[in-house]
Structure formats: structure tokens, C-alpha cells
Amino acid sequence: MSPPSSRSEPPKPKEEAPAFAGLARRLAAVPDAALRIAYTSNALEAIAPEALASEVDVLLEGVRRAPEQATLLLSLAVALQDPRHAPLRHAAADVARDRGRSLTAGLLRPSGPETPENLPRPDFGMGRPLTLGERKTLARRRDRMLLLRVLQDPHPEVVRIVLGNPAVTEADIVRVAARRPAHPEALARIFRSPRWVLRYAVRLTLLQNPHCPADIAHACVALLRRSDAKKLARAPTLARSLRAACLRAARSPTLH
């Protein structure tokens, strides 16, 4: 009889079963958006790329029929922005591409345009160029007159601080999301903000910005209202893949 092998057994592969089974219903009962995103991010630790690609397929089909599916899709799209999930995202996008699921692949893998060069450096009325540290400090102030100037700053770190300023309104963030040219990372910061990603007007504006990373734009398309999906399916300023996604959303019989 051969002696038992001294080599340790290889680790078992991650389960390809639906790792998110029941998660949508649980998330629907969690009122805090940040907690929903964190909960979804933890669930990603136990899912294989093949299962993630399948899960996104299911969500894209079911988001029109059940509100909890929309909650999970949005939480998943934001959670996937965490850099630690990048290997999983890219592997799942490859799986989706090989299966011919272009919409799923578009949501999973970023493929946005290059960062614009020579972004404008706004003058805050101080009579001299301000350092990044000074601009970040001003972004924490609640003075509305000053904030209107700070909102013109394209730097992602300034945008990050502005997003958490209690004096900022939805209309302010819509203006930031609409700015062109824009730093793609600044737009991604808006999408990753639990406070603002829930706002439909913010997501709609991000989608229409040509500098928005493609995966974020595809996630926003999946949650469009029918009227906006129909309009954007014919928008010449959108990338062809996004127009195709909008057309599919517009044809959904269960869209509100």
C-alpha cells in the first residue's frame, strides 16, 4: 500500500452557487446605505468570478421586477469600487465577456476615457493659487458663498470632502457631476458616496458625463426610468455600448 501523500490538499475553490441568495431581502431591511454597501462588500469575499458574473446577469434581469433587486444591484456596484475587489471584478468581467454578456462585462470592468489634461484650477477669490491642502480646508467650510467657489474645484480629493459637507445640496452635487471636463476619479467619488448615490438625479447626471467610468455608467443605466432610458438610447453623446444598454432598459416591460 502506498504511503499517504505528505502534500497538503489544494484549497477548495470558492462556491459557484448563488452567494447572494437571500441577500437582496436582507439588504432591503437595512435603512443605512453605507451598511448595505459594507454588507455586500463582505459577501464578495466568498464568491467566485463565475458566480459573480451569473449574479450580475440575474440582477440585470430582475432589477425591473423587484425593488430589493435594485437595492442589491446598486449596493453591489458601489461595493465593487473597492480596490481590493479589483481581481475579482476583472476575472468576472472576462467570464461575462466569454459568455457573450456584454452588458454584464461593461458593469464589471471599467473602460472609461483617459483622464483629461489641463483641468482648470479655479480661483477662490484669494488673489493667488491655493495649495491642495488649503483647498481641502476650504471644502470643509459651510459658508455658501465660499462653497459655490469650492464646487468648481475638479480635484478628486476636494470633491471627496465636499461630498461630506453638511451644507452641500443635491443640486450642488448634480452640478459637480455634470462638469466637463471632469476627472473620472472625482466622478467615481460621487458614485461611491452612500449619501449621494441614492439620488436618482445624481446617477442620471453621472451617466451622461462622457468622463464617467464605464462600469459606473452601466450601473446607472440599469436603474434608469423608462422615459430616461428611451431618451438616452438615442443620445449621440453616449458611447455605443451605453446606448445599447439604454435601449434594452427602455424595452423592459416592467420598467417604471
Side-chain angles (χ1 to χ4, degrees):
M1 180 180 296
S2 301
S5 173
S6 60
R7 292 181 301 174
S8 60
E9 294 185 3
K12 294 181 179 180
K14 293 179 180 178
E15 293 292 333
E16 293 190 20
F20 293 160
L23 180 58
R25 290 188 298 274
R26 294 195 295 275
L27 288 181
V30 179
D32 184 79
L35 288 178
R36 292 197 298 269
I37 293 166
Y39 199 74
T40 306
S41 185
N42 288 336
L44 287 171
E45 298 289 347
I47 192 170
E50 295 80 7
L52 177 58
S54 298
E55 194 70 43
V56 173
D57 276 342
V58 171
L59 287 173
L60 288 175
E61 294 294 337
V63 69
R64 311 297 172 189
R65 297 188 293 272
E68 63 268 19
Q69 297 294 315
T71 298
L72 176 53
L73 180 61
L74 184 57
S75 299
L76 176 61
V78 178
L80 284 169
Q81 295 293 312
D82 190 320
R84 66 193 171 109
H85 298 314
L88 173 63
R89 291 177 62 194
H90 285 282
D94 287 341
V95 171
R97 182 200 60 202
D98 293 342
R99 291 175 179 174
R101 309 294 289 186
S102 59
L103 296 179
T104 297
L107 188 150
L108 287 166
R109 174 180 291 130
S111 56
E114 296 294 326
T115 300
E117 296 181 359
N118 302 319
L119 288 175
R121 235 179 120 181
D123 181 358
F124 288 175
M126 302 298 179
R128 63 173 178 83
L130 300 182
T131 66
L132 177 58
E134 289 173 320
R135 288 148 60 197
K136 289 166 67 174
T137 297
L138 292 176
R140 296 184 174 92
R141 302 273 295 275
R142 301 191 186 188
D143 183 287
R144 283 296 302 175
M145 295 301 295
L146 177 60
L147 271 178
L148 290 176
R149 297 174 179 174
V150 174
L151 289 168
Q152 301 302 313
D153 196 313
H155 198 287
E157 282 301 304
V158 176
V159 171
R160 176 183 63 81
I161 295 172
V162 164
L163 292 171
N165 190 316
V168 169
T169 67
E170 179 177 329
D172 293 332
I173 301 305
V174 166
R175 283 195 290 271
V176 175
R179 183 190 299 125
R180 304 175 190 182
H183 196 307
E185 176 59 22
L187 301 180
R189 296 271 187 177
I190 297 173
F191 185 77
R192 293 199 295 264
S193 168
R195 178 184 176 189
W196 299 113
V197 73
L198 299 179
R199 310 297 180 97
Y200 183 83
V202 172
R203 296 198 305 269
L204 180 61
T205 306
L206 285 174
L207 163 61
Q208 296 177 82
N209 193 317
H211 302 293
C212 183
D215 59 325
I216 291 174
H218 275 277
C220 293
V221 167
L223 298 164
L224 276 177
R225 295 170 183 160
R226 179 191 292 274
S227 57
D228 290 321
K230 285 183 176 180
K231 180 174 65 176
L232 292 176
R234 301 187 298 270
T237 55
L238 284 189
R240 181 181 300 178
S241 62
L242 290 176
R243 292 200 304 271
C246 288
L247 183 61
R248 175 180 173 179
R251 290 173 174 172
S252 173
T254 54
L255 248 180
H256 54 285

